[in-house]
Amino acid sequence: MSGMIERDHAPNASTGLLGANFSRRNRQAPTDDGAGTGRWIAIDESGYHGDQLHGRGRYMIMGSVAIDDVEAAAIVDTLRRDAGIQQSATEVKFQKMFTGGGASRRRRFLGELLGPGGPLHDRASVYVIDKHYFVAAKLVSLLLEERFNALGYDIDSNGVGRQLALDLATEGLRALGRDGFDRLIATAVGFFSKKNRTGDQVTVDDFYAVIRESYAYARRRKAPQAKKAAEVLDMLRKTRPEAKEFARERPAKGTPTGEYGLLDDALDPLVTAVPTVILHASICYGGKLQVLADDQRLLTDDKLEVLERGATAVGLVHGLIKGNHLQDLVRGRSVDHPSLQLADLIAGAGRVVARWHDGEDEPAGDDLHIMVAPLVDPQGLLMDEGPEDFARVDSARAKRC
């Protein structure tokens, strides 16, 4: 059929991702700090569903661990033996093996790995994205920042934009009620998501009808918290031109996006998580880093290069690093890399603890929160896309680089 774009199904070594966009930045050989090419950091996520940020759990977590495969293999083997994990299982996975009431013994061994004296102590970090805040922050950055910039005001560098996002995310529930707040978040996700490239799911009119109705509801509420959210919604009511411009600038529906920058992935939290975690690791450990990420379809070769440059640029601009800190950013399969399996355990533990702090009944959260809460940076670097509530818990015990 004419006009159809052929999908590239060519296999690539060391990854299950097919096609030329995933052909270069793959690693199958074990990572090894002893090779002298830079310290290895393994990263993996939990609770990631692309840019579909509504209705699939509130938190996305990225776990990272400063370890190579050579050392990680021995730790994973010991954990398998002590925790009674069958050798027939090709990978150690948190969700499959460490959740539920019957896995408390396994969680105890995991806690010992992360706690004082454990082999992963001071080497693991947890990056938390509160999806409610993430969506609110995108409403501010993609619409309000553009509007204020056109008027000659910078609300990014002075922290005003962040405060507006916090006001909407933290007070919006009180101002709109759960159903109203969910509707606002769901509509914003529907409008900005990649599935809406042609505007056939949520139009600009649909989007602004919900914003207007949300503002009208919030302004009738008497509580001071509702007033804060209403003020942000009032500003958003006036950003229709910016929303139309965003819709016009997006690539056409059939356009491959690997080489077209990040506009089409504006609502994907992985775009924020990867460079932030890399930058944090550089601040913690110094020197040149090599980063191994679990393979994800979003992370094409071109996009990994964009994120690599972005992490360096942000660090230099803000004076957090003095030079290029990243030797290499590659992908791999967790079945080939025990360091990625440890990153999966850290990410999975972070997610259940985040849900536990949010009031959910999580046996794993009961068992692990004392060890996991300290892995979140209390200074907020690892909370750049979410409120500080989770980081504040046990902040006196929290890890500081």
Side-chain angles (χ1 to χ4, degrees), residues 154-165:
D154 178 6
I155 65 170
D156 180 26
S157 60
N158 62 11
V160 170
R162 178 178 173 83
Q163 187 58 54
L164 293 175

Side-chain angles (χ1 to χ4, degrees), residues 257-308:
T257 60
E259 65 271 33
Y260 289 92
L262 301 175
L263 179 65
D264 204 37
D265 298 305
L267 210 65
D268 197 305
L270 210 57
V271 170
T272 294
V274 171
T276 304
V277 170
I278 290 171
L279 181 56
H280 179 262
S282 180
I283 295 168
C284 282
Y285 306 113
K288 290 285 189 179
L289 299 180
Q290 297 192 99
V291 178
L292 176 67
D294 194 26
D295 49 5
Q296 292 281 355
R297 175 151 289 278
L298 172 78
L299 300 178
T300 64
D301 295 325
D302 294 323
K303 203 149 291 181
L304 285 173
E305 290 170 2
V306 171
L307 297 178
E308 181 180 297

Side-chain angles (χ1 to χ4, degrees), residues 319-334:
L320 300 173
I321 56 175
K322 295 181 178 179
N324 185 8
H325 59 296
L326 191 56
Q327 180 77 20
D328 208 0
L329 174 57
V330 294
R331 70 174 72 83
R333 300 185 307 165
S334 58

Side-chain angles (χ1 to χ4, degrees), residues 204-232:
V204 173
D205 288 341
D206 296 334
F207 184 33
Y208 279 89
V210 172
I211 290 178
R212 286 195 308 271
E213 292 167 11
S214 298
Y215 167 69
Y217 187 90
R219 71 190 293 266
R220 293 196 297 268
R221 303 291 290 269
K222 302 300 183 184
Q225 297 92 337
K227 183 178 180 181
K228 287 184 177 181
E231 288 172 350
V232 181

Side-chain angles (χ1 to χ4, degrees), residues 6 9 55 62 97 100 229 237 256 274 296 329 336 338 342 374 391 397:
E6 281 192 34
H9 293 289
M62 180 163 281
M97 302 171 183
R237 286 192 309 151
V274 171
Q296 292 281 355
L329 174 57
D336 298 325
L342 293 179
R397 297 169 50 85

Side-chain angles (χ1 to χ4, degrees), residues 89-330:
T90 57
E91 303 174 61
V92 174
K93 304 287 286 184
F94 184 87
Q95 188 60 37
K96 292 181 179 179
M97 302 171 183
F98 289 81
T99 58
S104 58
R105 179 170 173 270
R106 290 179 175 177
R107 291 193 291 270
R108 177 168 59 83
F109 287 118
L110 176 57
E112 290 174 357
L113 292 180
L114 297 171
L120 302 184
H121 185 61
D122 281 341
R123 301 169 74 175
S125 291
V126 169
Y127 173 81
V128 181
I129 286 182
D130 178 334
K131 296 176 184 178
H132 291 175
Y133 174 80
F134 191 90
V135 176
K138 290 304 178 181
L139 283 168
V140 171
S141 64
L142 296 174
L143 299 178
L144 283 180
E145 281 185 20
E146 294 296 318
R147 181 168 182 79
F148 277 100
N149 284 341
L151 297 172
Y153 301 101
D154 178 6
I155 65 170
D156 180 26
S157 60
N158 62 11
V160 170
R162 178 178 173 83
Q163 187 58 54
L164 293 175
L166 281 170
D167 287 345
L168 182 58
T170 57
E171 311 302 347
L173 185 60
R174 295 187 183 96
L176 302 174
R178 182 166 299 280
D179 290 344
F181 186 66
D182 281 350
R183 185 180 179 218
L184 175 65
I185 296 297
T187 304
V189 169
F191 178 74
F192 287 116
S193 72
K194 190 182 298 187
K195 291 182 178 180
N196 199 42
R197 278 183 185 167
T198 59
D200 56 349
Q201 296 194 29
V202 178
T203 67
V204 173
D205 288 341
D206 296 334
F207 184 33
Y208 279 89
V210 172
I211 290 178
R212 286 195 308 271
E213 292 167 11
S214 298
Y215 167 69
Y217 187 90
R219 71 190 293 266
R220 293 196 297 268
R221 303 291 290 269
K222 302 300 183 184
Q225 297 92 337
K227 183 178 180 181
K228 287 184 177 181
E231 288 172 350
V232 181
L233 291 165
D234 188 25
M235 296 179 196
L236 287 169
R237 286 192 309 151
K238 303 163 187 174
T239 60
R240 179 187 286 266
E242 287 72 27
K244 287 183 176 179
E245 184 64 20
F246 175 88
R248 281 195 298 267
E249 289 180 352
R250 298 187 73 162
K253 188 173 183 180
T255 306
T257 60
E259 65 271 33
Y260 289 92
L262 301 175
L263 179 65
D264 204 37
D265 298 305
L267 210 65
D268 197 305
L270 210 57
V271 170
T272 294
V274 171
T276 304
V277 170
I278 290 171
L279 181 56
H280 179 262
S282 180
I283 295 168
C284 282
Y285 306 113
K288 290 285 189 179
L289 299 180
Q290 297 192 99
V291 178
L292 176 67
D294 194 26
D295 49 5
Q296 292 281 355
R297 175 151 289 278
L298 172 78
L299 300 178
T300 64
D301 295 325
D302 294 323
K303 203 149 291 181
L304 285 173
E305 290 170 2
V306 171
L307 297 178
E308 181 180 297
R309 293 194 300 270
T312 300
V314 170
L316 292 173
V317 167
H318 291 280
L320 300 173
I321 56 175
K322 295 181 178 179
N324 185 8
H325 59 296
L326 191 56
Q327 180 77 20
D328 208 0
L329 174 57
V330 294

